Amino acid sequence: MRVELRLRCGSPEACAELAEYVVRRRGVRAPQLSYEIRGGVLEVSIAGPASDVSASRGAVMEAYREWRSLREFRLGTSGRLDLRLLASTVGGPLMPDVLVELLRMRGYSAGVSGGELRTDADPGEVLELAGRVSRAIEEVSREFPKASRNLKHLLVAARALGLDPSGVLGALRSRGLVEEGERRVDLRVLWRSLLAELPSLELGVGGVEAGGEEAEREGAGTEGLRRDPHAGEPAG
């Protein structure tokens, strides 16, 4: 069985990019798949057993839809991107709510709706920040396995901002904001309420506290949040 597909991509350069994206796509398993670029069209030929050709055709078309969506986002013409595609693009897990809050901290409009990130932020900045968040998730999950989801969100946000999560946790402990159990470490407040305080806490300025005057006395002489000396570098 053989099927032929004609995928419009705009220019030979864009078609070459699309061809590479299609070839890397999981699910393309036909024994014979070839393509040719003709101007602004990518012509794909798929041959093999009917079941393989059918599966590969579906995978190619899905790759084409993903590529168009990602290209439109990168060109700044859509302002929206499927979250699964974003995670695939940065090559790791995502915390959409953390990414949204960090984009808002930078002054952009951002939100999640229908499984899509919607924002007016620069596309390159979104992808760069999403990559930071993804690497931070892996680092925080590895170093703080007992952290609750609430605490993990704050530590991931801090790491993506270039702060040292251990320093952040120490400063929060000193302010009476951490609740530690045998199996779980959590915050006494919601992580979003502390997010805006991170820069000022780093400078040693008082922020949100728990426990009243006693917590204030205990936190008065403590060290501020430490800046990660490797801020801006990818987490290994």
Side-chain angles (χ1 to χ4, degrees):
M1 180 179 179
R2 178 184 296 274
V3 297
E4 307 285 341
L5 301 173
R6 289 173 52 84
L7 309 177
R8 297 186 180 278
C9 30
S11 70
E13 294 77 15
C15 287
E17 179 186 302
L18 171 59
E20 183 179 354
Y21 193 91
V22 167
V23 169
R24 294 200 314 263
R25 185 66 159 78
R26 290 182 181 179
V28 177
R29 64 189 190 192
Q32 298 178 26
L33 185 148
S34 59
Y35 65 86
E36 186 175 352
I37 297 172
R38 294 181 180 273
V41 175
L42 178 67
E43 297 183 348
V44 180
S45 175
I46 309 172
S51 59
D52 285 352
V53 170
S54 177
S56 294
R57 183 185 187 282
V60 168
M61 294 308 298
E62 180 65 21
Y64 181 47
R65 286 189 289 269
E66 289 179 358
W67 176 83
R68 288 186 60 182
S69 177
L70 186 58
R71 181 173 173 79
E72 288 172 0
F73 181 77
R74 282 176 165 157
L75 291 174
T77 59
S78 70
R80 60 177 63 186
L81 188 62
D82 183 87
L83 290 170
R84 290 173 299 178
L85 180 54
L86 179 57
S88 174
T89 301
V90 301
L94 276 182
M95 284 182 175
D97 40 1
V98 171
L99 178 59
V100 163
E101 293 299 335
L102 294 181
L103 286 170
R104 289 173 177 172
M105 286 180 69
R106 294 187 179 188
Y108 297 114
S109 169
V112 171
S113 178
E116 292 183 326
L117 172 69
R118 302 186 181 189
T119 180
D120 60 358
D122 175 78
E125 192 170 350
V126 172
L127 294 175
E128 182 270 335
L129 189 55
R132 282 175 173 261
V133 170
S134 184
R135 292 189 295 271
I137 292 171
E138 294 178 348
E139 179 181 323
V140 168
S141 297
R142 182 174 61 250
E143 295 187 10
F144 305 95
K146 293 173 63 176
S148 67
R149 178 179 174 83
N150 188 34
L151 175 58
K152 190 175 293 185
H153 273 62
L154 184 66
L155 296 180
V156 166
R159 183 66 183 95
L161 288 171
L163 297 171
D164 174 16
S166 296
V168 170
L169 187 56
L172 294 172
R173 279 192 180 108
S174 73
R175 288 162 172 76
L177 291 169
V178 177
E179 220 170 41
E180 302 194 57
E182 186 176 335
R183 297 184 178 180
R184 192 176 75 158
V185 181
D186 198 1
L187 291 171
R188 295 180 183 273
V189 294
L190 293 177
W191 69 276
R192 282 188 176 89
S193 68
L194 292 167
L195 188 59
E197 301 291 333
L198 288 175
S200 60
L201 284 171
E202 183 196 6
L203 297 173
V205 180
V208 180
E209 296 186 0
E213 294 181 359
E214 182 179 352
E216 184 178 352
R217 288 195 301 271
E218 291 176 356
T222 59
E223 195 177 24
L225 299 184
R226 298 185 311 224
R227 168 72 65 175
D228 184 349
H230 303 294
E233 297 180 9

